[in-house]
Amino acid sequence: MANPTVQKSDEPAPGNMSDTSRALAVLRAVIDGMAEGVWVTSEDGTVVEHNNALKELLFSGTALVGHKAGEIVESDELQQAVDRACRENASSRLELNLEGVRPRVVSVHVSPLGHDLSGSSAVFFDVTELRRLEKVRKDFVANVSHELRTPVTAIRGYAETLLSGALSDPAAAPKMVDIIHRQSERLSELVEDLLELSRLESRELQLAEKPINLAQAAQGASEAVRPKARARNIEIELQVAPELYVLADPRGVEQVILNLLDNAVKYTPVNGHVWLRARRLNEHIELTVKDDGPGIEARHLPRLFERFYRVDKGRSRDMGGTGLGLSIVKHLVTAMKGDVRVESAPGQGSTFYVTLPVAPQVAGNPPTPG
Ligand code: ADP
């Protein structure tokens, strides 16, 4: 005789009903709390359920439930993956490039529901940032190789020419040696800049937080570029009040000023002017490096602080630029809890603004009006 207290396995015991509902509620909460988008389809591939993250990820203003994959996302591949999961019990992984106001790269894993349930599920994972970083890394490696190749090719070419006889040509030999020398300097500048960047990025470089007299730092940096400025009759005007102190790393501050002054002198035509000014703005000190050079078109400005980004590649290389100066500035300033931005327009010169924290414990540092 059957024991009346034993339930059949497919009939939930009344006492277990709340457990089942609880389990379902927990499952629902987990799915809703996921950063990844999730949908579930019926066996004909129609979406029957999804979480909030999916709507945000797909940036969809309309309902998803009741629609097939192909109606929601313009992708034959996704529709085919859902069909395969529903009909052939097969999982697939694919990547979607979603266009529109907010372009996104989304990795999708589609699988059959299994457990004797018909239908499929899909998990959507936003990989936009990951793919962007991969591209940055690949571009960086390509750029470094390209930048290194130019001087290395020149050095090798001239050395070979010298070895195959030009060494005994008194007119040509000194010129070739001079080129080799200049290109090897360029190579070492490039390597130095790359090392500096990598130290900054890996946060290996311990930056100090000391009160630094800005007038002295500006004086030191400007001395370094004076010979270059003098050779092109460019006047550098320093207007930094002696009582201004920033809380930063001494070498870092000088490097920032030096890179900005060096660019201003480099890109400003002969007989030009460069101004370096500073003023206190509440808790920060704003340093301005301005020139009356050619200026920069607006379309270049958002990318100017990227590694190897140059407005005019030929001109930058001719002037001995590595294309890394401004990205070093950006990294240094950020590491010193400051900020850097640029204002420029063709024919209007360029102005770079750097803000750094003011050194509070130092007497003086009065707010500058304006
Ligand atoms: P580079 O070594 O080429 O000077 P940077 O990172 O220092 O590299 O600068 C990036 C680019 O920004 C330069 O190649 C140049 O095109 C532009 N640029 C920087 N400063 C100035 C400036 N003061 N005036 C005009 N263009 C500038």
Side-chain angles (χ1 to χ4, degrees), residues 259-260 263-264 266-268 291 294-296 304 306 309-312 316 320-327 350 352:
N259 285 11
L260 293 177
N263 276 350
K266 209 160 61 177
Y267 296 109
T268 301
D291 64 61
I296 303 162
L304 214 62
E306 285 177 20
Y309 189 83
R310 290 147 156 150
V311 175
D312 180 341
S316 156
T322 59
L324 296 173
L326 286 182
S327 73
S350 305
F352 289 83

Side-chain angles (χ1 to χ4, degrees), residues 30-290:
V30 168
I31 290 174
D32 269 342
M34 279 169 71
E36 292 82 8
V38 176
W39 80 25
V40 176
T41 75
S42 57
E43 62 188 316
D44 71 346
T46 305
V47 172
V48 289
E49 234 183 303
H50 65 83
N51 66 356
N52 289 334
L54 184 67
K55 269 204 110 163
E56 273 172 40
L57 193 65
L58 298 181
F59 207 48
S60 166
T62 53
L64 308 180
V65 170
H67 295 275
K68 296 212 168 175
E71 295 164 358
I72 297 167
V73 180
E74 248 182 76
S75 159
D76 292 343
E77 215 188 333
L78 180 61
Q79 183 64 65
Q80 284 159 10
V82 173
D83 292 345
R84 251 197 321 276
C86 292
R87 290 191 206 127
E88 300 160 29
N89 260 338
S91 305
S92 351
R93 195 177 284 280
L94 59 128
E95 207 157 284
L96 298 173
N97 278 298
L98 304 178
E99 284 163 10
V101 259
R102 220 178 46 171
R104 290 252 154 281
V105 188
V106 178
S107 168
V108 193
H109 187 232
V110 185
S111 39
L113 278 182
H115 301 285
D116 293 334
L117 294 167
S118 49
S120 74
S121 69
V123 180
F124 297 72
F125 185 59
D126 190 344
V127 290
T128 317
E129 185 59 10
L130 200 66
R131 295 289 172 265
R132 191 189 68 79
L133 289 173
E134 276 170 10
K135 186 175 177 321
V136 167
R137 188 185 55 78
K138 278 188 201 151
D139 288 354
F140 180 65
V141 172
N143 275 323
V144 169
S145 320
H146 181 78
E147 294 296 329
L148 290 175
R149 199 167 53 197
T150 319
V152 167
T153 310
I155 292 170
R156 208 167 111 186
Y158 284 106
E160 278 168 11
T161 316
L162 283 168
L163 285 172
S164 52
L167 200 55
S168 49
D169 178 344
K175 280 188 200 145
M176 291 186 188
V177 173
D178 184 48
I179 294 173
I180 290 177
H181 181 231
R182 269 190 290 126
Q183 292 293 343
S184 65
E185 273 184 340
R186 193 175 149 61
L187 206 55
S188 83
E189 266 166 33
L190 195 63
V191 172
E192 280 308 314
D193 278 1
L194 283 169
L195 284 174
E196 174 88 4
L197 257 187
S198 114
R199 278 192 295 260
L200 280 168
E201 284 186 345
S202 63
R203 297 180 211 285
E204 195 182 287
L205 205 68
Q206 287 295 319
L207 294 175
E209 273 188 20
K210 286 187 191 173
I212 298 158
N213 183 274
L214 209 52
Q216 277 171 18
Q219 188 66 34
S222 70
E223 285 314 317
V225 293
R226 281 231 195 258
K228 212 185 222 177
R230 216 172 281 131
R232 312 188 51 238
N233 199 29
I234 291 173
E235 198 185 322
I236 303 179
E237 214 177 286
L238 295 188
Q239 288 174 9
V240 182
E243 66 274 13
L244 295 179
Y245 282 77
V246 288
L247 190 66
D249 181 80
R251 202 187 68 88
V253 171
E254 265 205 53
Q255 179 84 56
V256 165
I257 304 177
L258 182 66
N259 285 11
L260 293 177
L261 277 182
D262 187 59
N263 276 350
V265 169
K266 209 160 61 177
Y267 296 109
T268 301
V270 282
N271 305 326
H273 290 85
V274 172
W275 297 267
L276 198 161
R277 296 183 184 132
R279 59 176 179 157
R280 169 137 184 214
L281 297 172
N282 296 322
E283 292 314 301
H284 285 90
I285 286 186
E286 182 190 65
L287 187 88
T288 322
V289 177
K290 179 176 157 64

